[in-house]
Amino acid sequence: MTTVIQSLDTIREVIIAALRAHGADADNAAAVARTLVAAEADGCQTHGLFRVAGYCRSMASGKVNGAAKPSVTRLGPGAVRVNGDGGWSSLPLEASYDPLAEAAAETGVAAAAIVNMFHYAALWPEVEAMARRGYVALACTAYKPVVAPFGGNMPFYGTDPLAFAWPRGPHGSDTDPVVFDFATSAIARGEVQVAMRDGHQMAPGTGLDKNGNPTTDPAEILDGMMLPFGGYKGSLIMMMVELLCSSLIGEQFSFEAGETDVEDGGPARGGEFLLAIDPTRFAGDGWAEHGERFFARLGAIDGVHIPGDRRYQNRRQTPVDGCSVPLALWAEVEALAGHG
Amino acid sequence: MTTVIQSLDTIREVIIAALRAHGADADNAAAVARTLVAAEADGCQTHGLFRVAGYCRSMASGKVNGAAKPSVTRLGPGAVRVNGDGGWSSLPLEASYDPLAEAAAETGVAAAAIVNMFHYAALWPEVEAMARRGYVALACTAYKPVVAPFGGNMPFYGTDPLAFAWPRGPHGSDTDPVVFDFATSAIARGEVQVAMRDGHQMAPGTGLDKNGNPTTDPAEILDGMMLPFGGYKGSLIMMMVELLCSSLIGEQFSFEAGETDVEDGGPARGGEFLLAIDPTRFAGDGWAEHGERFFARLGAIDGVHIPGDRRYQNRRQTPVDGCSVPLALWAEVEALAGHG
């Protein structure tokens, strides 16, 4: 595959131009660009430039409000709601961080309900942001119905990502938080698409055909449904994610999003549940050192990696080396930006 | 296997007598008996009478304080700590429910850190108790190092159970909450013991021998280690559980419990993280009906069960039919009680 090397600044400029050309105002374009550039910087190509076309199509179809002005409401001492005004998730999420941190500092634990928005990004930015403020963070969101519950034979759950971050020290500490962020489906939809393109079979237990029969054929899975990670236990985690980011906070379940989405190639409207816990409140001052003893032992086990470390390594290196971008993708984003 | 039928009242009496004979005071014996009888009533034989011997041994060894007097501290508007005074989990958990509900009602979301106690029970009683008070609840606890992190070759995590409950209506509603509760290891230790007894092999991917090599031999797994459920994603969930119920709340990790426990056959000292969220605060009045639309669709999918339903069916039937108890187990508990 032919690739080109681009600087993060150049990537940011073309993303902003593409989003602006398809209806985003300056604030939303800048916020989405921060999300996408962060993904490229961390080496998460699936959540960077690759998504620009979906962002553009979803504004062009009239589904997503590119000029959204999110509003923040304090629902209680430990409860924050951010109404995304029908726009992208980046701006309302950024608007939630400080109010959520303030609430968690006052109470010990607080949650933000981010609703009426479209999430087309990874979840690690929000949990990392809260962990850098000194809070243990958990986040989840739903999607559209593409995963069958364990034992079932029809798509009902989304890919339903779940993310968690642990701060390596109190606010002001410069150590990178430990972060994980994964789809609670057995596989990501992109992995199935890549397997189909490359003529590979999927692993057994990852998907069903449209009649609910097990298959390893990626085309049949795309036409059918994926399965939860981890069998019945993973399926229960998916149920929990659906409840936390839908009826708990007053937003759509994946099955409801499947009924309302216009299928323009972008995400469906949804909600996000973002929890922040103050470890100092619960454990006192020794919590960070205690956590470090755990990670020292965990990281010393042969074959075990501390989650997030590879992304942080990429983050230090990409400003120096630039990002390697497939030429066809770069041409697509340039065209969306009206360049050349 | 020869069994005897016993009423729940008879089971309660013999449990209380056995615990009292081994050092439990009246309050602790009654609280532990409530936990164990609830397990028998729900058909969870692994967490009922089967555990009485471990409870007795752990008091006889001097490890567990049978006369513990838990104390409750409000650490903040949304933060409760219960110090278990070195006793069993039943009494401090019961002591946490009302303060935690009060905190969650005031703030929207609250958490309890239950520390300095010994958890030898299922986790569904505590999440169900909070859901019956109208709160969405999540709970987890650690154990001793018996599970290798994904990719690793030494035991480090516990079986690290995770439980969740969703209320089917506001406080006062008499509909049973949706509840799940499972070990985040691929299998429960009891399943391996039963397989060894019966001469069966375990499924691939459930355990490693003591050198860290994959095996399906239950004896080698017991001498070695189990694996997380769900591969690397399940291993990350286990990491999260360890952090939430250890350094977040100032209690032991599983690896630390492995260094301090006296190996008397009972559990190790540990902590529990118990979260309660008020859906009315976040979603307003429609949340329960919204949740019901989800469960109606989920339950209508062929082959899918709503978690907890089988336990509730047992709970309605055992007061009528009595519990079927293996004769050898009944004799053991009677002997512990000093009967006959």
Side-chain angles (χ1 to χ4, degrees):
Chain A
M1 187 167 55
T2 312
T3 59
V4 288
I5 302 293
Q6 300 291 353
S7 74
L8 294 174
D9 282 342
T10 306
I11 290 171
R12 177 178 296 107
E13 284 161 21
V14 73
I15 290 172
I16 288 176
L19 296 168
R20 296 281 284 154
H22 290 80
D25 68 8
D27 283 353
N28 279 278
V32 170
R34 279 191 288 277
T35 305
L36 295 173
V37 169
E40 289 288 340
D42 279 17
C44 298
Q45 283 89 1
T46 52
H47 287 77
L49 286 161
F50 176 71
R51 304 249 161 168
V52 173
Y55 276 95
C56 291
R57 280 198 300 269
S58 297
M59 290 187 289
S61 74
K63 183 172 75 176
V64 179
N65 178 8
K69 300 205 179 310
S71 53
V72 179
T73 312
R74 187 80 171 262
L75 300 172
V80 173
R81 177 162 57 208
V82 185
N83 184 324
D85 192 25
W88 296 112
S89 61
S90 297
L91 212 51
L93 279 166
E94 290 179 1
S96 76
Y97 300 157
D98 287 338
L100 180 58
E102 191 185 325
E106 286 174 24
T107 60
V109 52
I114 298 110
V115 298
N116 190 23
M117 57 98 183
F118 294 80
H119 205 304
Y120 199 42
L123 271 67
W124 56 258
E126 41 262 41
V127 291
E128 183 184 333
M130 294 314 300
R132 289 198 182 275
R133 285 163 172 80
Y135 300 95
V136 178
L138 179 127
C140 56
T141 186
Y143 180 58
K144 291 187 276 195
V146 290
V147 175
F150 181 80
N153 57 5
M154 59 177 283
F156 186 69
Y157 295 147
T159 43
D160 294 0
L162 178 69
F164 174 80
W166 177 265
R168 304 295 288 265
H171 188 45
S173 154
D174 61 358
T175 311
D176 295 323
V178 172
V179 172
F180 71 71
D181 172 10
F182 57 75
T184 54
S185 48
I187 40 174
R189 205 159 173 81
E191 293 174 66
V192 194
Q193 288 161 336
V194 167
M196 185 165 75
R197 184 193 71 191
D198 298 349
H200 297 148
Q201 295 291 296
M202 301 303 299
T206 52
L208 306 175
D209 69 19
K210 65 183 175 186
N211 300 313
N213 300 311
T215 180
T216 57
D217 180 330
E220 289 186 351
I221 293 174
L222 286 174
D223 193 38
M225 62 209 86
M226 297 183 280
L227 285 169
F229 94 99
Y232 82 93
K233 293 179 181 180
S235 190
L236 292 170
I237 299 273
M238 298 194 81
M239 183 193 79
M240 177 179 79
V241 167
E242 290 274 343
L243 290 162
L244 291 178
C245 60
S246 302
S247 46
L248 174 66
I249 62 170
E251 249 298 351
Q252 296 191 115
F253 285 101
S254 295
F255 83 88
E256 294 170 325
E259 292 164 0
T260 60
D261 191 57
V262 297
E263 299 293 340
D264 53 13
R269 200 196 78 219
E272 177 164 344
F273 175 76
L274 179 55
L275 182 75
I277 316 169
D278 178 4
T280 304
R281 179 79 73 161
F282 285 94
D285 284 335
W287 65 268
E289 294 73 15
H290 193 195
E292 290 314 293
R293 292 199 292 278
F294 172 80
F295 289 114
R297 292 283 284 260
L298 178 61
I301 299 173
D302 252 359
V304 175
H305 304 281
I306 303 299
D309 275 2
R310 199 181 52 181
R311 280 197 302 98
Y312 293 127
Q313 285 164 20
N314 291 335
R315 192 180 301 182
R316 314 236 181 288
Q317 203 54 37
T318 45
V320 181
D321 294 348
C323 291
S324 172
V325 182
L327 185 60
L329 174 60
W330 187 250
E332 177 190 80
V333 180
E334 287 254 285
L336 289 165
H339 291 178
Chain B
M1 186 168 54
T2 313
T3 60
V4 288
I5 302 293
Q6 301 290 354
S7 75
L8 294 175
D9 281 343
T10 307
I11 289 171
R12 177 178 297 104
E13 284 161 21
V14 73
I15 290 172
I16 288 176
L19 295 169
R20 296 280 287 160
H22 289 80
D25 67 10
D27 283 352
N28 279 279
V32 170
R34 279 191 287 277
T35 304
L36 295 173
V37 169
E40 288 289 339
D42 278 18
C44 298
Q45 283 88 0
T46 52
H47 287 77
L49 286 163
F50 176 70
R51 304 250 161 168
V52 173
Y55 276 95
C56 291
R57 280 198 300 270
S58 296
M59 290 186 289
S61 76
K63 183 171 76 176
V64 179
N65 177 7
K69 303 208 178 306
S71 54
V72 179
T73 313
R74 188 79 170 264
L75 300 172
V80 173
R81 178 164 53 210
V82 185
N83 184 325
D85 192 25
W88 295 112
S89 61
S90 296
L91 211 52
L93 280 166
E94 290 179 1
S96 75
Y97 300 157
D98 286 338
L100 179 59
E102 191 185 324
E106 286 174 23
T107 61
V109 51
I114 297 109
V115 298
N116 190 22
M117 57 98 183
F118 293 79
H119 204 305
Y120 199 42
L123 271 68
W124 56 257
E126 42 262 42
V127 292
E128 183 184 334
M130 294 313 301
R132 289 200 182 274
R133 286 164 171 78
Y135 300 95
V136 178
L138 180 128
C140 56
T141 187
Y143 179 59
K144 291 186 275 194
V146 290
V147 175
F150 182 79
N153 57 5
M154 59 177 281
F156 186 69
Y157 295 147
T159 43
D160 294 0
L162 177 69
F164 174 80
W166 177 264
R168 304 295 289 265
H171 189 44
S173 154
D174 61 358
T175 312
D176 295 322
V178 173
V179 172
F180 71 71
D181 172 10
F182 57 75
T184 55
S185 48
I187 40 173
R189 204 161 174 80
E191 293 173 65
V192 194
Q193 288 161 336
V194 167
M196 186 165 76
R197 183 192 72 192
D198 298 349
H200 296 149
Q201 294 291 295
M202 301 302 300
T206 52
L208 307 176
D209 69 20
K210 65 183 175 186
N211 299 313
N213 300 311
T215 181
T216 58
D217 180 330
E220 288 187 351
I221 293 174
L222 286 174
D223 193 38
M225 62 209 86
M226 296 183 281
L227 284 169
F229 94 100
Y232 83 93
K233 293 179 181 180
S235 191
L236 292 171
I237 299 274
M238 298 194 82
M239 183 193 78
M240 178 179 78
V241 167
E242 289 275 343
L243 290 162
L244 290 178
C245 60
S246 301
S247 45
L248 174 65
I249 62 170
E251 249 298 354
Q252 295 191 117
F253 286 101
S254 294
F255 84 89
E256 293 169 325
E259 292 164 0
T260 60
D261 191 57
V262 298
E263 299 293 339
D264 53 14
R269 201 195 78 219
E272 176 164 346
F273 175 76
L274 179 55
L275 182 74
I277 316 169
D278 179 5
T280 305
R281 179 78 75 158
F282 285 95
D285 283 336
W287 66 268
E289 295 73 15
H290 194 194
E292 290 315 293
R293 293 199 292 279
F294 172 81
F295 289 114
R297 293 284 285 262
L298 178 61
I301 300 173
D302 252 359
V304 175
H305 303 281
I306 304 298
D309 276 1
R310 199 181 53 182
R311 279 198 301 100
Y312 294 127
Q313 286 165 18
N314 290 335
R315 193 181 301 182
R316 313 234 181 292
Q317 204 54 36
T318 44
V320 181
D321 294 348
C323 291
S324 172
V325 181
L327 184 60
L329 175 60
W330 187 251
E332 176 189 81
V333 180
E334 287 254 285
L336 288 165
H339 292 179

